[in-house]
Amino acid sequence: MRRFEELNRFCYTVSPRYTHHEIPSQISVALFFNRLRKDGDNSIPEESMPSSKTRVAIVGGGVAGLIVARHVASKPDTYSLTLFEQTDQVGGTWVYTDETDIDKHGLPVHSSMYKNLRTNLPKEIMQIPDFPMTDPNSPSFAHHSVIRQYLWDYAEHFNLYPHIKLNTVVKNVEPETLKNGQTIWIIKYKDLENEVETTKTFDAVVLCNGHHTVGHVPHIPGIDSFHGTCIHSHRYRAPETYTGKKVCILGASWSGIDIAIEVSEYAEQVYLSHNLPDPINAKFTKNIDQRPGIQSIQGNVFTFLDGTTAEVDSFIFCTGYKFTYPFMSSKVELRTDDNHVEPIYKHLVHITMPNLFVMGIPVLIIPFPMFHIQAQYILGILEGRIKLPSPKEMLQDFETEKNTLLQQGIPLRHIIKLKERQWTYYDEIAAAANVPSFPPVIKKIYDHVSEMRDIDFISYKNYQYRIIDDENFTVSFRDIFLAPCY
């Protein structure tokens, strides 16, 4: 607080025609002084200028956090960067651990990675645009360890480690409004190795803590009477655990189907319970039985919505995750009711505090390249190149989009699933940031993957993709070469 009060007095002293009330709340101190000097105000000696870098805090060292850090760190004269990561490695959920409950520091395990997971998108469209994966002959659908190493290489290549505080948990993020209307951020964090708590001030905060840690577990009548093992997929690691068991898996999104397939290799029987309008089109083994949602549980007997029953030994919830921001001050309005984060403009910018950014909200998208564009959109806002509408106008835009989607029959919790809306979103924020959007070939491959997944969920990861140019790609299945796709 003292730094900003002194800065305001300094601004008026060195250049009376700019009072502290005229410093726009969305531009950095650095940009203010640069503007003075560009305006020909040479009354400010270089050596007399206070520290003028915009201080940016990033919470979380997963993919989103690393990508934002890469772009912020690329402008060392403009920004001072600190990235907080509570584990001892960057990579977020891509860092596998056998632990499922509490880590070595007594904190909830962050990663939901299981041993055999492979990506559900090919690396050719999943890779970060300015850091391509180097081995074109490796499988398109990569094992999670490949992605983890890729992210470690990314952090090393862009020299991000000097800005990263590992084994550091953020305890509190508190806004403070200055007399000029500008919001700054007071962050309290704890070094988990020496248990020292520190408080620092920042000009902008980017939340990149992910949302694959706290599982959503719907209530099922009678669940308390179930005597078998019961976990959320966040704690699932290996299928061998279910050898000889009768397993019920609730939820048939990508992870639910994926886990059902690999558990079926060891289990006596798998009941894949879901409320999709149609059965999943996959060449399942005979011991996978699709059932509708669960009506009730009594002991080890599960009753499904069609009235059928089954005896179950083990139960896995594959029912998604919750958005949680436990470190945020109650002064910040950040609602997550029904899995919808608001008030957030463009799935990214806090509407009433536009120097607070929330990454990782949209799903059913291509995340790594999206983060690449979003990071540059954030910098455009901080540097004043992107002029945001007023908070009232942003809120109106947000509410209009939400209500339109609700009227189309999309439940509130599914608004974050962009699906076909993703392409317009990429183009819009890329244009605003004046950076390239996705080339057409990315959508073509994405659509091909979706088509192959719909044909057979089990075999779609056997396809190998290669990008020819911005428009064209080839695809092969195992060793069989298929015609180029245009």
Side-chain angles (χ1 to χ4, degrees), residues 397-410 415:
D397 180 274
F398 170 83
E399 293 291 350
T400 298
E401 180 184 27
K402 181 175 77 171
N403 291 330
T404 298
L405 295 172
L406 291 173
Q407 290 169 10
Q408 292 173 3
I410 298 175
I415 286 178

Side-chain angles (χ1 to χ4, degrees), residues 179-480:
K179 292 180 180 179
N180 66 352
Q182 182 176 357
T183 298
I184 59 172
W185 297 93
I186 314 300
I187 295 185
K188 179 188 292 185
Y189 57 92
K190 181 180 181 180
D191 185 319
L192 296 170
E193 296 292 294
N194 58 30
E195 298 190 349
V196 172
E197 288 194 356
T198 307
T199 300
K200 291 186 70 173
T201 303
F202 295 89
D203 304 305
V205 176
V206 188
L207 305 184
C208 303
N209 57 307
H211 67 277
H212 290 104
T213 296
V214 180
H216 167 63
V217 179
H219 175 70
I220 299 173
I223 183 65
D224 293 338
S225 70
F226 180 58
H227 306 306
T229 61
C230 180
I231 65 168
H232 188 274
S233 59
H234 172 67
R235 296 174 57 202
Y236 173 80
R237 293 295 181 267
E240 293 87 348
T241 305
Y242 299 94
T243 300
K245 304 288 187 181
K246 297 175 183 177
V247 184
C248 180
I249 295 173
L250 179 61
S253 190
W254 292 344
S255 63
I257 302 173
D258 209 24
I259 291 172
I261 291 169
E262 65 173 54
V263 164
S264 70
E265 296 181 18
Y266 297 87
E268 176 186 333
Q269 181 69 44
V270 174
Y271 300 100
L272 180 57
S273 172
H274 62 81
N275 289 317
L276 298 177
D278 299 305
I280 297 159
N281 191 13
K283 297 181 177 67
F284 288 136
T285 54
K286 292 182 179 179
N287 65 337
I288 296 181
D289 185 6
Q290 295 188 58
R291 298 286 180 98
I294 302 169
Q295 178 176 296
S296 63
I297 298 172
Q298 186 172 2
N300 281 43
V301 177
F302 283 45
T303 301
F304 300 96
L305 292 175
D306 62 356
T308 61
T309 61
E311 288 192 9
V312 173
D313 303 311
S314 298
F315 187 21
I316 305 175
F317 284 93
C318 293
T319 44
Y321 292 85
K322 298 178 181 178
F323 288 95
T324 58
Y325 307 96
F327 43 77
M328 289 303 303
S329 164
S330 59
K331 294 180 182 178
V332 179
E333 181 185 12
L334 196 59
R335 302 188 302 276
T336 58
D337 302 335
D338 206 9
N339 217 36
H340 190 254
V341 185
E342 50 183 276
I344 303 295
Y345 178 70
K346 301 301 181 190
H347 306 286
L348 188 60
V349 186
H350 193 281
I351 288 176
T352 60
M353 297 179 174
N355 57 351
L356 173 65
F357 306 93
V358 186
M359 297 283 283
I361 293 177
V363 297
L364 296 188
I365 41 83
I366 308 178
F368 295 14
M370 182 188 73
F371 297 151
H372 179 77
I373 297 176
Q374 285 183 323
Q376 295 172 90
Y377 184 84
I378 290 173
L379 263 62
I381 294 170
L382 293 178
E383 295 167 11
R385 293 180 284 105
I386 294 175
K387 305 296 184 184
L388 291 174
S390 69
K392 181 179 179 180
E393 291 169 326
M394 286 192 285
L395 183 60
Q396 184 177 16
D397 180 274
F398 170 83
E399 293 291 350
T400 298
E401 180 184 27
K402 181 175 77 171
N403 291 330
T404 298
L405 295 172
L406 291 173
Q407 290 169 10
Q408 292 173 3
I410 298 175
L412 184 65
R413 67 184 183 277
H414 290 167
I415 286 178
I416 61 172
K417 298 179 178 180
L418 295 193
K419 299 181 180 178
E420 284 305 307
R421 289 182 283 132
Q422 66 181 301
W423 313 108
T424 301
Y425 176 67
Y426 304 147
D427 291 345
E428 182 180 356
I429 62 173
N434 195 28
V435 298
S437 187
F438 290 24
V441 69
I442 303 299
K443 183 178 187 302
K444 291 180 179 180
I445 294 177
Y446 183 91
D447 289 343
H448 187 272
V449 171
S450 298
E451 181 182 353
M452 295 303 102
R453 187 187 296 117
D454 289 342
I455 292 173
D456 183 14
F457 196 98
I458 292 177
S459 64
Y460 82 97
K461 292 184 181 181
N462 292 337
Y463 285 91
Q464 187 75 26
Y465 295 87
R466 285 195 179 181
I467 292 176
I468 299 174
D469 53 37
D470 283 355
E471 293 282 347
N472 307 307
F473 70 97
T474 61
V475 59
S476 59
F477 186 80
R478 294 178 181 163
D479 296 326
I480 303 173

Side-chain angles (χ1 to χ4, degrees), residues 31-65:
L31 292 170
F32 171 72
F33 281 105
N34 287 340
R35 188 175 75 183
L36 290 183
R37 299 185 70 81
K38 285 180 181 178
D39 287 348
D41 192 339
N42 294 317
S43 62
I44 311 172
E46 195 75 36
E47 63 274 11
S48 298
M49 290 177 62
S51 177
S52 57
K53 294 182 181 180
T54 300
R55 301 161 297 177
V56 177
I58 298 173
V59 181
V63 183

